[in-house]
Amino acid sequence: MSTATDTRRKKAPAGERVADWADSRLGVYSLAKANLRKIFPDHWSFMIGEICLYSFIIIILTGVYLTMFFNPSMGEIVYHGDYVPMQGIRMSEAYASTLDISFEVRGGLLIRQIHHWAALIFIGAMFVHMMRVFFTGAYRKPREMNWVFGFLLLVLGLFTGLTGYSLPDDLLSGTGVRFTQGAILSAPVIGTYLSMFLFGGEFPGHDFVGRFYSIHILLLPGIMLGLVVAHLIMVFLHKHTHWPGPGKTNTNVVGTPFLPVYMGKAGGFFFLVFGVIAAIAAVATINPVWAIGPYRPDQVSTGAQPDWYLGFAEGLIRVMPGWEINAWGHTLVLGVFIPLLIFPLLLVSIAAYPFVESWATGDKRHHHLLVRPRNAPVRTGFGVAWCVSYLTMLVAGGNDIWATHFHLSINAITWFSRVAFFVAPVLAFIVTKRICLGLQRRDKDKVLHGRESGIIKRLPHGEFIEVHEPLSSDELHTLTAHDQYKPLELEPEVDENGVVRKPSRSEKLRVKLSKGLYGEDTQIPKPTPEEYKEITSGHGHH
């Protein structure tokens, strides 16, 4: 019997034998059977997350190439390379190797540009992706931890970018590193220890490029790669979210299979993203270190600005008044320390929001249907307010550029930013909430009366009315599929047995948050079946 089996096995094609060998040891077949036919919804907004993944892959590929030629040393040399304007100038080996990559290594400048542009697009796509997840409520149970993974990827991406553009040791990045070191020193007690640890002594020291290099290519990317893998595993583990529509519920996923349909689209989209980034890198120069010169502690680059994603942090420090506290022979620089606290608090508020909302609403159900932003006015208002505060401080972070390019007073821009940081988010929240409620009213009117056709009809008794086209059942379902929560209420202080019960502070806070999210003036009631039947039966104009 075994001889016949062995004979048949020998006659099997080589590929099949390899597949059988792998499956018997790794369980590849069963794993592939369970996951390669996984359904993915087909909607353009899901492509934003793919841009994050593909740009991260591009960063890794180009980064490996650059590490082969970059020398992370602060040892001083006199440059005698191909870039003539810099010949004879004393500089660090890190800066000289960056010039060599740009002018002597075949394709080096293009790879540098692709690497930097991919990093910018990676962080920008993460911002947009997280906002898409936030505004649609895709972070709700069971995806809270995936939201935290995404948040950690964003934060680590910020610091990876900071360490990355500091490596060339040019005057622009050196100014940014000096700014960072000053912010670190403002932290009481631990500030000086952190500074000494990062820079190996007094700034600039002789080690920070090497230390930033290790952090940039090993520590942070390693953690980020682990988070990306965990993020993707969680996406596969949970059902994918999808937009409300006919046949779409919290218990199914409507879309196309991962293999071959989605895989084919994803592969083509990867090369499209790579091509666009390469085209941008080829025509738009970024970080031209040869035009800035090597870093010197006694010089500051004119118009020094960080990459856009850290402009928020710099803006907080630029607009903060120069307050100080002198006590017991020590100085606490509040003008830097307070912004240093505000920045992480604003970031942590993003990470904590799903848990706060779940606690406030008491909703423990699994959610796979997305929510249209208009149907959650308070949450949408919070998101827009956060974006406005970020943009306000981004403007503040470039107050000198705004002043010189638009011939404005830098003091006026600074004071505008100080006021706008507190006022603009509140106004943005109010306006956004009103817009969402207005859109809800329009949806309700469309459900009850149909779509305006523009056709005017005269009735026998002389009245003119506009003929409305009734919506299809698919459109009616989409406009009415969302849930409407009822805010929580405090339990009676005296129960049915006459026992006095005093609610705790946490209960009172939870009820207030619940009413703030879903209380009065936060949602327009959906049309009831009775209202719809009354309108469509001829008692109203339709």
Side-chain angles (χ1 to χ4, degrees):
M1 184 70 179
S2 61
T3 305
T5 304
D6 293 339
T7 303
R8 287 196 301 270
R9 187 173 298 167
K10 290 179 181 178
K11 293 180 180 179
E16 184 176 336
R17 292 200 302 271
V18 172
D20 289 340
W21 182 91
D23 182 55
S24 64
R25 290 157 177 81
L26 304 175
V28 175
Y29 176 75
S30 56
L31 183 66
K33 185 178 179 181
N35 294 289
L36 292 184
R37 299 295 293 176
K38 181 178 174 63
I39 301 300
F40 278 81
D42 193 8
H43 193 271
W44 67 266
S45 62
F46 299 116
M47 298 169 67
I48 301 172
E50 295 180 40
I51 295 175
C52 299
L53 176 62
Y54 300 154
S55 56
F56 182 71
I57 295 173
I58 294 168
I59 292 170
I60 297 296
L61 295 176
T62 54
V64 170
Y65 184 84
L66 294 174
T67 56
M68 298 179 183
F69 306 99
F70 181 72
N71 183 5
S73 171
M74 296 186 69
E76 288 193 347
I77 63 170
V78 177
Y79 181 72
H80 295 291
D82 287 358
Y83 188 64
V84 177
M86 285 289 177
Q87 290 183 356
I89 295 179
R90 185 173 294 275
M91 61 184 63
S92 67
E93 292 182 85
Y95 184 78
S97 67
T98 305
L99 293 179
D100 291 341
I101 291 172
S102 302
F103 298 107
E104 298 182 25
V105 176
R106 188 179 297 274
L109 180 57
L110 179 61
I111 297 299
R112 267 196 66 229
Q113 299 291 290
I114 292 175
H115 188 73
H116 202 143
W117 275 112
L120 294 179
I121 291 173
F122 172 59
I123 297 177
M126 277 199 293
F127 266 109
V128 178
H129 180 58
M130 289 195 70
M131 288 298 101
R132 197 275 302 175
V133 171
F134 180 83
F135 285 124
T136 60
Y139 54 78
R140 295 173 297 170
K141 186 180 178 180
R143 298 176 183 83
E144 299 97 332
M145 289 309 301
N146 220 11
W147 170 264
V148 174
F149 290 161
F151 165 78
L152 293 175
L153 278 169
L154 176 62
V155 174
L156 291 175
L158 300 181
F159 287 104
T160 306
L162 171 65
T163 55
Y165 71 64
S166 302
L167 294 180
D169 199 30
D170 60 292
L171 188 57
L172 177 61
S173 67
T175 304
V177 174
R178 186 68 170 114
F179 177 91
T180 303
Q181 193 252 357
I184 292 172
L185 285 177
S186 70
V189 182
I190 63 172
T192 52
Y193 294 98
L194 288 176
S195 177
M196 291 292 181
F197 173 76
L198 285 175
F199 297 97
E202 292 293 337
F203 183 85
H206 299 284
D207 301 322
F208 90 82
V209 170
R211 297 186 181 198
F212 276 31
Y213 184 71
S214 299
I215 294 172
H216 180 71
I217 71 167
L218 292 176
L219 179 62
L220 296 181
I223 299 174
M224 291 179 69
L225 188 60
L227 287 172
V228 167
V229 172
H231 191 75
L232 295 177
I233 289 175
M234 297 290 278
V235 169
F236 268 83
L237 180 63
H238 302 135
K239 290 185 177 68
H240 206 291
T241 57
H242 51 183
W243 289 95
K248 299 179 180 179
T249 67
N250 275 318
T251 58
N252 70 347
V253 180
V254 179
T256 55
F258 179 74
L259 193 73
V261 180
Y262 183 82
M263 195 67 178
K265 290 182 178 180
F269 190 49
F270 169 75
F271 289 108
L272 179 62
V273 172
F274 206 148
V276 170
I277 292 177
I280 295 174
V283 301
T285 302
I286 189 171
N287 197 20
V289 296
W290 56 88
I292 301 171
Y295 177 67
R296 287 181 52 178
D298 59 335
Q299 294 181 355
V300 175
S301 177
T302 302
Q305 304 290 322
D307 280 338
W308 66 269
Y309 47 85
L310 287 175
F312 179 89
E314 179 151 340
L316 284 170
I317 293 178
R318 288 196 183 194
V319 302
M320 181 69 190
W323 297 340
E324 293 182 354
I325 295 178
N326 296 293
W328 300 291
H330 298 277
T331 301
L332 179 60
V333 185
L334 297 178
V336 180
F337 181 61
I338 291 179
L340 203 63
L341 291 178
I342 294 176
F343 181 62
L345 285 176
L346 287 174
L347 290 178
V348 169
S349 67
I350 302 175
Y353 186 87
F355 303 97
V356 174
E357 183 184 277
S358 175
W359 177 71
T361 59
D363 186 3
K364 304 301 180 183
R365 299 173 299 162
H366 282 226
H367 293 277
H368 304 301
L369 274 180
L370 298 175
V371 179
R372 301 169 78 203
R374 67 184 63 183
N375 293 327
V378 176
R379 179 173 66 217
T380 304
F382 280 142
V384 173
W386 193 94
C387 292
V388 168
S389 66
Y390 189 96
L391 292 174
T392 301
M393 288 299 101
L394 189 62
V395 171
N399 56 3
D400 53 339
I401 301 298
W402 287 93
T404 55
H405 282 63
F406 295 97
H407 308 289
L408 301 171
S409 167
I410 193 170
N411 290 328
I413 297 173
T414 300
W415 274 104
F416 169 80
S417 301
R418 288 173 178 173
V419 175
F421 180 72
F422 296 98
V423 176
V426 176
L427 294 177
F429 174 83
I430 295 172
V431 171
T432 302
K433 182 181 173 183
R434 301 310 303 173
I435 291 174
C436 289
L437 291 174
L439 292 173
Q440 285 188 42
R441 291 189 184 95
R442 190 187 70 171
D443 287 346
K444 181 176 182 178
D445 187 67
K446 286 172 65 177
V447 169
L448 293 176
H449 300 283
R451 185 183 295 104
E452 295 179 357
S453 65
I455 300 174
I456 305 299
K457 181 179 180 180
R458 184 177 183 183
L459 300 179
H461 60 275
E463 180 184 2
F464 288 91
I465 64 170
E466 181 182 17
V467 179
H468 286 204
E469 297 177 358
L471 301 181
S472 65
S473 58
D474 291 355
E475 292 175 305
L476 290 172
H477 176 84
T478 301
L479 295 179
T480 57
H482 58 282
D483 294 326
Q484 289 196 316
Y485 293 94
K486 292 183 178 180
L488 301 177
E489 298 288 345
L490 284 175
E491 296 182 9
E493 294 188 5
V494 180
D495 62 16
E496 63 275 7
N497 298 320
V499 178
V500 177
R501 176 187 172 278
K502 186 177 181 181
S504 64
R505 292 183 179 180
S506 63
E507 288 179 300
K508 292 180 180 179
L509 177 61
R510 185 181 184 186
V511 169
K512 286 184 179 180
L513 288 175
S514 178
K515 290 183 178 180
L517 288 171
Y518 299 108
E520 190 177 358
D521 295 330
T522 60
Q523 50 190 350
I524 303 300
K526 292 193 295 185
T528 63
E530 292 74 18
E531 290 177 314
Y532 181 75
K533 289 179 181 178
E534 181 181 0
I535 292 293
T536 55
S537 63
H539 297 291
H541 297 313
H542 198 70

